[in-house]
C-alpha cells in the first residue's frame, strides 16, 4: 500500500497536466450550445494510452446524437483486471461540463487551468474532473507498480450528465450489459471539505414549465382582459405552498423537507402598459423520497384548476425533468467498503447523508444498482472561478486505492 501511496504523492504534476488537458476541451451539451464530449474523450484516450494504459483496457461506447457534428456522445470504460472477477468496483465520473455563465465574473480564462495557492481554477476542474483524475491515478498506481487490485476495477467516464444523462448512463443502462447487481458503484460527484459524508439517497426531482393563457389588454383596462402574469404569480405561490402539503421531514437531507421553488421566468410583453395574455414560468421541486411524483402531480393539477377557476385563465404545463429513486441501504457492501477505506486512510468516521441535487446515482438506484456519491471537495461546481484543491485529488486517489485493495 505504501508504494501505491508514494506513486500518488509523486504524481502532482501529472495530475495538473491531465486537469489542464481536460479543461482545454470544453465538453458542452448541444442544449448549452456545444458539440458534446467527442474531442474531450479523444484527448483523454490519447493521454491514457501515453501514460500507462493499454488499448485493450479502454472501450468506447457511442450513443447516437444527430445534434452534434460527430453524431455521437462517447463514454469510456477503462478496465484494470483484479485478482478476483467475482465483482467489479466502479468509479463513475462525467466528461461534460456546464457553461461558464457570466464571463465577467471569472478572474481567469475558464478554459485554461490556472494553479494558485494549491488550487486549480477552471471550468470543470471540480465538476467532475477531480473525481476523474483521482480515479485515473488510483488505477495507475496499481499499473505502474505491477500490483493487481483485489477485484477488477472499472472506470466509467460518461457523457451527458449535466443535462439529464439520456446519452450517458441512461443509454448505457438500456443498450449494454456492463453493470452487474453485485458490483460496487462509486460516483465522485459530490461531497464535503473533509470527505466524511457518503451520499446514499437523493430527493425526487420534478421540473415544471407552466404556461398560463389569459387575454391581453391595455394596462388601464384590466376589466377587459385576463391578466396571465397575475394568475401565474398566484399559481407559483400555490405550487410553492405544496411544501406545506408534503410536509414530512427527514434528517438524512439538508434541508430536511421538500422544496417547491419558482425559478426561471420567460418574457411576456414588451410594454409596461400592456397586461399580458400569456405568461410562462418554471418550478424546481425537490421532494423527499417518501412521496411519489405521482402524488405530487395530482396536487399540481388541483393547484392549476384552482387558479383557472379564480382568474378565468387556461393553465397547461410540461415536465422538463422527472426523477425518483430508492435509497442505497446504509449497510450495503459499497457503503461499508468505502467507510473502511476512509477510516483506514484518513482516520475519519464517515456518515451517510441524502442530497437535494441530482447525480447519475438516481439512474443507477432506480435500476437496482446500489451506489454511493462521495468525494473531498468544497463544492464550487457551476460557480464562476470554479476550483479544486490539488491535495484533495491526491487524498481521494489514496482512498480509491484502499477501496480497490
Amino acid at each position: 500500500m505504501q508504494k501505491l501511496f508514494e506513486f500518488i504523492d509523486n504524481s502532482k504534476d501529472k495530475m495538473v497536466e491531465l486537469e489542464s488537458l481536460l479543461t482545454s476541451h470544453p465538453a458542452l451539451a448541444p442544449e448549452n450550445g456545444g458539440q458534446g464530449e467527442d474531442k474531450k474523450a479523444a484527448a483523454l484516450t490519447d493521454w491514457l494510452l501515453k501514460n500507462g494504459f493499454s488499448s485493450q483496457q479502454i472501450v468506447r461506447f457511442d450513443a447516437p446524437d444527430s445534434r452534434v457534428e460527430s453524431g455521437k456522445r462517447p463514454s469510456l470504460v477503462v478496465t484494470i483486471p483484479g485478482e478476483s472477477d467475482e465483482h467489479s468496483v466502479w468509479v463513475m465520473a462525467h466528461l461534460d461540463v456546464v457553461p461558464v455563465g457570466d464571463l465577467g465574473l471569472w478572474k481567469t480564462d475558464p478554459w485554461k487551468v490556472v494553479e494558485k495557492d494549491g488550487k486549480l481554477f477552471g471550468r470543470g476542474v471540480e465538476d467532475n474532473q477531480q473525481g476523474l483524475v483521482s480515479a485515473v491515478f488510483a488505477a495507475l498506481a496499481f499499473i505502474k507498480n505491477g500490483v493487481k487490485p483485489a477485484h477488477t476495477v472499472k472506470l466509467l467516464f460518461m457523457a451527458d450528465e449535466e443535462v439529464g444523462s439520456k446519452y450517458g448512463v441512461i443509454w448505457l443502462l438500456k443498450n449494454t450489459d456492463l453493470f452487474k447487481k453485485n458490483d460496487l458503484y462509486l460516483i465522485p460527484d459530490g461531497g464535503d471539505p473533509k470527505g466524511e459524508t457518503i451520499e446514499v439517497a437523493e430527493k425526487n426531482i420534478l421540473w415544471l414549465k407552466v404556461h398560463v393563457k389569459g387575454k391581453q389588454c391595455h394596462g388601464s383596462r384590466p376589466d377587459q382582459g385576463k391578466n396571465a402574469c397575475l394568475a401565474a404569480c398566484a399559481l407559483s405561490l400555490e405550487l410553492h405552498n405544496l411544501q406545506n402539503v408534503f410536509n414530512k421531514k427527514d434528517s438524512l437531507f439538508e434541508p430536511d423537507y421538500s422544496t417547491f421553488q419558482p425559478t426561471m421566468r420567460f418574457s411576456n410583453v414588451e410594454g409596461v402598459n400592456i397586461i399580458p395574455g400569456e405568461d410562462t414560468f418554471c418550478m424546481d421541486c425537490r421532494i423527499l423520497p417518501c412521496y411519489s411524483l405521482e402524488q405530487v402531480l395530482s396536487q399540481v393539477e388541483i393547484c392549476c384548476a384552482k387558479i383557472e377557476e379564480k382568474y378565468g385563465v387556461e393553465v397547461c404545463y410540461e415536465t422538463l425533468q422527472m426523477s425518483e429513486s430508492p435509497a442505497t441501504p446504509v449497510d450495503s457492501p459499497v457503503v461499508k467498503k468505502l467507510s473502511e477505506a476512509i477510516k483506514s486512510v484518513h482516520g475519519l468516521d464517515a456518515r451517510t447523508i441524502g442530497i437535494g441535487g441530482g447525480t447519475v446515482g438516481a439512474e443507477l438506484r432506480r435500476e437496482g444498482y446500489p451506489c454511493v456519491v462521495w468525494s473531498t471537495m468544497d463544492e464550487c461546481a457551476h460557480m464562476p472561478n470554479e476550483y479544486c484543491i490539488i491535495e484533495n485529488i491526491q487524498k481521494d486517489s489514496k482512498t480509491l486505492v484502499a477501496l480497490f485493495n
Side-chain angles (χ1 to χ4, degrees):
M1 188 77 77
Q2 190 59 38
K3 285 170 57 181
L4 305 181
F5 286 176
E6 287 176 1
F7 171 81
I8 291 168
D9 288 333
N10 294 328
S11 295
K12 174 192 166 184
D13 290 346
K14 296 295 288 184
M15 291 174 172
V16 175
E17 175 186 283
L18 181 53
E19 277 271 25
S20 300
L21 174 69
L22 295 171
T23 301
S24 70
H25 293 279
L28 296 168
E31 291 91 336
N32 292 324
Q35 290 296 325
E37 306 81 4
D38 190 56
K39 291 183 179 179
K40 188 172 184 176
L44 174 57
T45 300
D46 184 61
W47 189 96
L48 294 173
L49 292 173
K50 289 178 178 177
N51 286 274
F53 294 89
S54 69
S55 58
Q56 290 76 28
Q57 291 177 300
I58 305 170
V59 180
R60 174 168 161 153
F61 295 86
D62 290 325
D65 187 352
S66 60
R67 300 172 302 165
V68 296
E69 290 178 0
S70 66
K72 51 203 174 188
R73 306 291 294 279
S75 294
L76 304 176
V77 175
V78 183
T79 301
I80 301 89
E83 295 288 351
S84 169
D85 204 29
E86 181 184 2
H87 69 258
S88 296
V89 181
W90 289 81
V91 182
M92 302 177 164
H94 61 85
L95 293 167
D96 59 322
V97 299
V98 296
V100 300
D102 185 350
L103 191 59
L105 297 176
W106 284 80
K107 297 178 181 178
T108 62
D109 183 344
W111 304 117
K112 184 177 180 180
V113 165
V114 173
E115 181 179 350
K116 183 180 180 182
D117 300 327
K119 299 177 180 178
L120 301 179
F121 292 85
R123 176 54 86 222
V125 291
E126 182 188 82
D127 184 21
N128 191 211
Q129 291 164 197
Q130 176 182 321
L132 188 159
V133 174
S134 291
V136 165
F137 280 87
L140 275 176
F142 286 90
I143 292 172
K144 293 293 188 179
N145 284 283
V147 178
K148 274 192 171 184
H151 291 85
T152 295
V153 170
K154 290 185 176 289
L155 311 181
L156 171 59
F157 306 132
M158 304 167 286
D160 197 36
E161 189 273 346
E162 294 291 2
V163 289
S165 293
K166 177 182 177 182
Y167 300 92
V169 75
I170 293 176
W171 186 88
L172 292 170
L173 284 165
K174 290 180 178 179
N175 294 278
T176 75
D177 58 357
L178 286 168
F179 311 118
K180 304 294 185 292
K181 297 292 184 179
N182 65 330
D183 288 350
L184 307 185
Y185 299 93
L186 168 62
I187 303 158
D189 197 19
D192 67 275
K194 290 184 179 180
E196 61 183 355
T197 54
I198 300 174
E199 184 258 285
V200 296
E202 297 178 14
K203 290 181 179 178
N204 296 334
I205 297 176
L206 176 65
W207 287 1
L208 300 175
K209 182 180 180 181
V210 185
H211 183 72
V212 179
K213 185 177 181 180
K215 181 181 179 182
Q216 183 175 310
C217 64
H218 193 280
S220 66
R221 294 299 306 269
D223 56 306
Q224 294 182 344
K226 296 175 181 178
N227 193 327
C229 180
L230 183 63
C233 290
L235 180 54
S236 67
L237 289 173
E238 286 287 336
L239 295 173
H240 172 65
N241 191 55
L242 288 179
Q243 69 183 39
N244 295 317
V245 176
F246 301 98
N247 57 4
K248 291 182 180 179
K249 295 188 176 183
D250 187 339
S251 60
L252 190 66
F253 296 90
E254 185 178 343
D256 62 356
Y257 51 88
S258 299
T259 60
F260 297 81
Q261 292 294 314
T263 55
M264 184 166 61
R265 198 166 208 108
F266 293 75
S267 177
N268 46 31
V269 293
E270 297 180 352
V272 176
N273 60 345
I274 303 172
I275 288 176
E278 297 191 42
D279 200 83
T280 304
F281 68 96
C282 294
M283 295 289 299
D284 184 339
C285 312
R286 311 285 172 137
I287 302 138
L288 292 177
C290 60
Y291 299 113
S292 71
L293 294 185
E294 183 180 2
Q295 290 176 288
V296 174
L297 286 171
S298 67
Q299 288 297 315
V300 169
E301 292 284 351
I302 292 172
C303 292
C304 291
K306 178 180 179 180
I307 295 302
E308 286 180 323
E309 181 178 0
K310 182 174 181 179
Y311 291 92
V313 297
E314 296 178 17
V315 176
C316 62
Y317 67 85
E318 59 179 301
T319 55
L320 300 179
Q321 186 175 170
M322 293 178 63
S323 179
E324 54 187 334
S325 60
T328 294
V330 295
D331 60 350
S332 65
V334 67
V335 174
K336 290 181 177 179
K337 182 75 172 173
L338 178 58
S339 298
E340 292 168 0
I342 294 170
K343 180 69 171 180
S344 66
V345 178
H346 304 296
L348 296 172
D349 293 314
R351 56 188 175 87
T352 53
I353 64 166
I355 63 169
T359 73
V360 297
E363 310 299 339
L364 290 164
R365 292 181 185 122
R366 188 161 46 248
E367 297 298 323
Y369 302 100
C371 60
V372 295
V373 178
W374 168 87
S375 194
T376 307
M377 58 173 59
D378 286 356
E379 290 208 306
C380 55
H382 299 202
M383 297 181 184
N385 306 301
E386 177 184 351
Y387 68 85
C388 74
I389 298 172
I390 299 173
E391 184 182 357
N392 285 345
I393 302 177
Q394 295 174 301
K395 287 174 60 178
D396 287 3
S397 195
K398 289 179 180 180
T399 304
L400 294 178
V401 164
L403 181 70
F404 298 162
N405 214 32

